[in-house]
Amino acid sequence: MAGTRHEMPELPDLSDEYANAAHIPGGADFLPRWTVQAAAFRDALGDRAVLGQPYGPGPRDWFDLFMPAARARGTLVFIHGGYWRAFDPRLWSAFASGALARGWAVAMPCHTLAPDARLSAITTQIARAVDAIALVQPGPLVLTGHSAGGHLVARLACTDVALAAAPRVARVLPISPLSDLRPLMQCDFNADLRLDAAEAARESPALRTPRAGIDAHVWVGSAERPAFRDQARWLGTAWNAPVTEDPGRHHFNVIDGLADPGSALLRAALAGL
């Protein structure tokens, strides 16, 4: 009928699909426990915990570096989660213990949080951090990160991101990564991220081309929210990379293997290096 206005259908709110703590028994207890463990770990490591190393002029342009007792075999870079809008790496310090026991150094960079930075700017910032870490740490680099951090390490493995240290990156291991950001535009936290269709597509590793020569392995818990298992599968399919579903692991304890030198997770990260 002429003059009839056709309304666009309202898209569903996906906020709960990407919520974690409310769907994990005891979910509220993890952050306080990690905080206590992290402080104890740093204290016990003494001068092998080299804290707050700057990689730029900004207040969150720093990384912590944890060194093994002997000469490091390489450096594992871990990037934390929090939907790019919460926390800093000190919450996860204790998860460096597994790689340290295997003779690897561990670097944990900080980055500016949304809404103070767009995701594209955070990607560039983390690339600068990895380049700075590579300047002070010899040997191979393995990049791993959890959730939003999994997204960031996957982005650094894409051909469109400038990364001087790329030839030294032997492997990327995104853990529970966000690989296609387009669904996040339908979540309430996009008020902070401010993703639009163009940036969501541009910053989605599953829609980008991975660098040649970098081994990729995607990790996710079998008991995670379906949205996160989908995100892991999308990345693995797009990159022709293996996807491991860690049996019984949810979004918070899926990283426990980083603290266990004999875990399947660390074997996947460091095997053959």
Side-chain angles (χ1 to χ4, degrees):
M1 180 177 176
T4 301
R5 181 178 178 182
H6 296 280
E7 298 286 348
M8 292 294 291
E10 186 173 342
L11 294 173
D13 184 349
L14 299 182
S15 301
D16 188 62
E17 300 299 315
Y18 285 90
N20 287 296
H23 298 278
I24 295 172
D29 299 332
F30 279 85
L31 298 185
R33 182 163 65 247
W34 289 344
T35 299
V36 172
Q37 292 170 345
F41 171 81
R42 292 191 300 270
D43 289 345
L45 207 59
D47 60 7
R48 290 197 287 126
V50 186
L51 305 180
Q53 298 300 293
Y55 67 83
R60 292 180 66 90
D61 289 341
W62 55 267
F63 62 89
D64 286 344
L65 182 63
F66 305 110
M67 299 299 297
R71 181 186 178 92
R73 298 173 58 184
T75 303
L76 177 77
V77 179
F78 173 81
I79 302 175
H80 70 85
Y83 279 123
W84 309 274
R85 57 201 275 270
F87 311 126
D88 70 44
R90 297 241 166 108
L91 185 61
W92 286 270
S93 298
F95 289 98
S97 59
L100 287 185
R102 293 176 68 106
W104 283 68
V106 178
M108 296 189 175
C110 190
H111 63 75
T112 305
L113 300 176
D116 292 336
R118 301 288 292 258
L119 261 65
S120 54
I122 294 172
T123 295
T124 300
Q125 185 180 13
I126 285 295
R128 287 194 290 109
V130 171
D131 282 341
I133 291 163
L135 288 176
V136 298
Q137 286 297 109
L141 300 169
V142 172
L143 309 183
T144 189
H146 175 231
S147 197
H151 160 267
L152 290 168
V153 297
R155 277 297 285 132
L156 297 195
C158 297
T159 56
D160 64 308
V161 175
L163 183 68
R168 288 179 45 198
V169 177
R171 182 169 297 138
V172 292
L173 185 79
I175 304 170
S176 308
L178 294 153
S179 65
D180 186 338
L181 305 188
R182 292 174 296 181
L184 305 190
M185 293 188 293
Q186 296 166 236
C187 297
D188 53 9
F189 52 79
N190 196 42
D192 286 339
L193 304 182
R194 296 172 290 158
L195 284 170
D196 56 28
E199 186 176 32
R202 187 175 62 249
E203 291 300 316
S204 292
L207 306 180
R208 313 305 293 181
T209 303
R211 301 178 192 274
I214 294 181
D215 182 49
H217 190 140
V218 185
W219 201 272
V220 69
S222 71
E224 296 208 46
R225 303 284 285 150
F228 278 92
R229 299 200 307 276
D230 286 344
Q231 289 275 351
R233 176 174 50 82
W234 294 338
L235 184 60
T237 298
W239 285 13
N240 194 28
V243 178
T244 295
E245 287 205 2
D246 204 343
R249 296 291 179 174
H250 55 63
H251 193 70
F252 290 169
N253 66 13
V254 69
I255 59 172
D256 282 358
L258 292 174
D260 176 3
S263 71
L265 178 57
L266 270 184
R267 289 197 303 271
L270 304 178
L273 300 176

